[in-house]
Each structure stands twice: as structure tokens, then as C-alpha cells.
Amino acid sequence: MNNSQEGITSENQPLKHTIPLPSGEGLGVRPQESAVGPQESAVRPQGLASNPDILTDILAHKKVEIEQRMDFIAPRKMYSLVEEKIAGETAPLPSLRRSLIDSDTGIIAEFKRRSPSKGWIKRDGRPGIIPLSYQQHGAAALSILTDTDFFGGYDEYIQEARLSGVTLPILYKNFVICEYQLFQARFCGASAVLLIAAALTVDECRTLTHTAHELGMEVLLEMHGGNDFDYVVCEPDVYGINNRNLGSFVTDVDNSFRFAQLLPAEACKVSESGIGHPETVRALRAAGFQGFLMGEHFMRADDPGQELEKFINELKTK
């Protein structure tokens, strides 16, 4: 990254959407979790109207969240912290794309404590234990939810996973709408970030992809249908097809099969959400997918790592 920060928004030109790191490294304190139960209404931040389009609801809250936290850490301070971190590194970040291409399973195991539609999945899930267990039981890469209000995650969870010994690529799973969040992702230890086509314009997506690459991270671009495939021009490192409609949160694995041919033939492709059977993974691999993002299937088990190993063993038994 250019130490002059050329092309990066300056402190005198604040970002429209900026979320400071909520914890870790002396940057603040992780907010105390609400004691509400697992009902969907319990995970909807107070003050937001009930909205049948969950993605719209999440993005509306994300903007409020950003505005509330803009003063927590100034952009220039975050940029400086990331530059210091990069300067002290001796090796490049692990590649999500390469890990998926080289893997014989392609499983991206996700640490996901709750969902906007289903409530708590594993409220007591510990980021210092489960991600490392995923690594020890055969995951090709990891995904960690960092959205707090809808998914019960924190940036700190990636930090905790790295401190526990995780060396696999980690996907920063959040609703990224500005470059500041990319610096957050880089600071907490992510090696790739999720960009969602439905949350961005093509130009925004292209700019964020460029910035992520400048920071040494890869991009997984998530598409679902419709005009999302216009975003292929952004040239991400990994192309994802989400089987879950982010408006309704209805899941249909056939979505990956329907749209696989719309992606570049040479692309590294990931099918996301709704996968729970080894035969589904085999069929998706035959359709050209190299990666399979799975979270809830493992997180609902008593031991997510053991459940991953069981799934992989079944996958390899034809």
C-alpha cells in the first residue's frame, strides 16, 4: 500500500459510511450483548420499522450504526494502524482463491451465531474455539460473521480466531458499504472480504475491490440473481452465488445451478447458503463450483468441528 495514502479518503473528507472497530487492541470495548431471546423481533435493532425486505432493513441500520460510530476512531487513525500492521508483516495473507482451488472439498466453514430470520443458532459459540476446530477438522477456509445487531458478530471474533492459532484464509462477512470497513477487516486479521452486489452500485463495488486489493486482501463478490451479474466486470477474486434471497431470506440451492453459467468459465465459484448434504456439494462441484460456504449446518451441532469432519468423510465416500 502506498504510504502516502494517495487515493484514500482523507480525514478532512469523511466517508459517508464509516464503522469503527468495536473492540480490541485498545480501540474500544465490545458492546454488551442484549439479553433478548431468539425471536426474529429480538434481533431487529430498536427504532427500525418492520420491513419485509430484510436486506433493506440491515442496510438502513448499517448506515445509522456507521453515523453513530464515526467519531470512535478517525479514519486517519485507522489507516495508520493498518499501515503499521502491514509494515510488521513478513508474509502475504493466505489466499482464499488458492485454498479453494487446491482443496479437494472446498468447504468454507462459517462461524455464525445467529440469523435475522431464525434468531440464535449458537449463542454460546466461542470464536477462540470453533474456528480453530474447523481448521483442525478439514476446512479449506473460514468465514466469520462480524455484523453485530443482526448476526451477533464482532470484528474481535476474527482477532480471537487468529490468536487461537487459525492460519487459514478468513472471509470478513459483513455488509460492506465503504472503504473504512475494508481497513477494519484488514486490521482484525481477515484475508478476504465479502462484497454484496445488491448492497452496492457497480462503481462502488469496483472501487472497493480495488481498495481491498491495495490492502492485500481478496474479494468474494456475492450475487443472487437479476442485475447482480452486471457486477462481473468488477473482476473479484472469487465469485459467489448466494442461494439465500437477502430480501426474504428464503433459500433455494437450485439458484447456484441456474446461474453458474453466467459467471466466467475460469472463475473460482462459490455456492453460498442452504447446503446440508454431501450429494449437493458433489452436484455443485460437477456444475463448476470450487467452494461451498456452510455455516448453520455445522453451528447447530453440539461440536461444529466434529460435524464438519463427519460431513467431509461422507463427502469423500462415494
Side-chain angles (χ1 to χ4, degrees), residues 104-107 253 256-257 260 269 271 274-294 309-318:
D104 58 353
T105 66
I107 302 296
V253 178
S256 286
F257 295 102
K269 307 178 185 69
S271 179
I275 302 170
H277 301 284
E279 55 267 30
T280 303
V281 171
R282 295 190 197 105
L284 286 166
R285 186 172 286 281
F289 288 87
Q290 292 91 3
F292 315 94
L293 195 152
M294 300 176 60
E309 182 176 47
K310 176 184 175 183
F311 187 91
I312 289 174
N313 288 337
E314 293 175 359
L315 179 62
K316 292 180 177 180
T317 303
K318 297 182 179 180

Side-chain angles (χ1 to χ4, degrees), residues 109-127:
E110 185 163 81
F111 182 77
K112 175 181 179 181
R113 296 171 66 238
R114 75 181 182 193
S115 143
S117 59
K118 298 183 180 180
W120 290 103
I121 298 169
K122 188 176 288 296
R123 188 169 187 169
D124 61 351
R126 296 176 62 184

Side-chain angles (χ1 to χ4, degrees), residues 17-19 62-70 177:
H17 309 309
T18 305
I19 307 175
K62 187 63 63 176
K63 294 176 183 179
V64 173
E65 175 187 321
I66 292 165
E67 291 169 359
Q68 290 175 340
R69 299 186 184 183
M70 277 187 67
I177 54 177

Side-chain angles (χ1 to χ4, degrees), residues 42-113:
V43 301
R44 186 181 301 279
Q46 187 175 5
L48 286 179
S50 178
N51 192 326
D53 187 329
I54 299 177
L55 178 62
T56 298
D57 217 17
I58 291 172
L59 294 177
H61 178 70
K62 187 63 63 176
K63 294 176 183 179
V64 173
E65 175 187 321
I66 292 165
E67 291 169 359
Q68 290 175 340
R69 299 186 184 183
M70 277 187 67
D71 293 332
F72 196 76
I73 302 176
R76 185 171 298 171
K77 175 64 174 176
M78 177 59 76
Y79 300 157
S80 177
L81 289 169
V82 171
E83 287 193 331
E84 291 174 10
K85 180 180 178 68
I86 293 174
E89 293 174 345
T90 59
L93 297 171
S95 169
L96 174 64
R97 183 177 187 276
R98 177 48 54 189
S99 292
L100 296 178
I101 290 173
D102 291 345
S103 174
D104 58 353
T105 66
I107 302 296
I108 304 173
E110 185 163 81
F111 182 77
K112 175 181 179 181
R113 296 171 66 238

